[in-house]
Amino acid sequence: RTTDSSTGGGYGHTAPPPREPDPLDRAFAAVRPGDCLNVHDDGFGKWSKNAPIPVPCGWLTAYVRVTEVTDFDRCESGGGRTSWTHRNDDLTRTVLCLARQFRTGQCFLASAKDRLPNTANLMTIWDCNATKVPVRYNFIMRITSVGSGTVGNCGLDYSWETHGGRGTICAAVA
């Protein structure tokens, strides 16, 4: 074989161009703690968006706040907290720890026990005027107040503890 001086002395081979990072990998890598995202559970166990897109935290569509970004799932769950895991092209993971941003007037889905609302999926956002819900749910609940402290200050409304006991939401059947 002879070398080709026009390519720098190799054997006529050039290195392949570096691979462009996957847009989804880049979107997850760009998220920082404190960012708010307009994503929520769609009621069917999936996220409402494929990629996290930060929005101003004051927007009504800022449904979750990122509390931590890590490469393994050590996020708290339940009561409006969960994680969103993405497997990158290089097989590493990006895990976003999320806390729900509750607002009065928003609606979420709940299941029934003895024909009354019981277990809620606080990560869902649902149209308060919808006439249908996914099979595993029975109720659309409308948030009537968001507060701190313990469950039980909701009068006749139903209550759920949020964010590890640091908050409470009150809700009525929509």
Side-chain angles (χ1 to χ4, degrees):
R1 295 185 180 186
T2 60
T3 61
D4 181 353
S5 61
S6 67
T7 60
Y11 288 111
H13 301 296
T14 58
R19 228 174 109 198
E20 284 293 315
D22 179 74
L24 200 52
D25 292 357
R26 285 196 316 256
F28 274 86
V31 175
R32 299 289 175 255
D35 285 351
C36 288
L37 309 174
N38 68 339
V39 66
H40 58 84
D41 183 313
D42 70 356
F44 298 95
K46 296 180 183 167
W47 291 107
S48 59
K49 311 261 187 225
N50 290 328
I53 300 170
V55 297
C57 291
W59 283 14
L60 294 177
T61 57
Y63 300 122
V64 296
R65 181 181 299 266
V66 178
T67 58
E68 185 176 356
V69 178
T70 183
D71 57 357
F72 58 96
D73 194 346
R74 63 176 183 210
C75 307
E76 298 178 42
S77 63
R81 296 173 303 179
T82 194
S83 61
W84 187 6
T85 301
H86 170 71
R87 179 150 322 266
N88 299 301
D89 274 354
D90 66 0
L91 302 181
T92 61
R93 294 185 328 159
T94 302
V95 180
L96 307 178
C97 299
L98 306 175
R100 175 85 149 71
Q101 299 290 98
F102 296 103
R103 289 186 172 84
T104 300
Q106 288 178 338
C107 288
F108 59 90
L109 297 169
S111 301
K113 181 177 181 183
D114 300 326
R115 295 185 295 194
L116 298 173
N118 183 10
T119 305
N121 182 342
L122 299 179
M123 299 307 293
T124 56
I125 299 286
W126 205 256
D127 177 355
C128 296
N129 298 313
T131 57
K132 294 182 180 180
V133 296
V135 164
R136 61 189 277 202
Y137 300 104
N138 308 94
F139 295 98
I140 300 170
M141 305 300 296
R142 181 186 314 267
I143 298 173
T144 56
S145 69
V146 178
S148 58
T150 59
V151 169
N153 302 324
C154 294
L156 297 177
D157 289 347
Y158 298 90
S159 61
W160 282 272
E161 183 178 278
T162 62
H163 304 133
R166 292 185 302 274
T168 299
I169 60 167
C170 302
V173 175

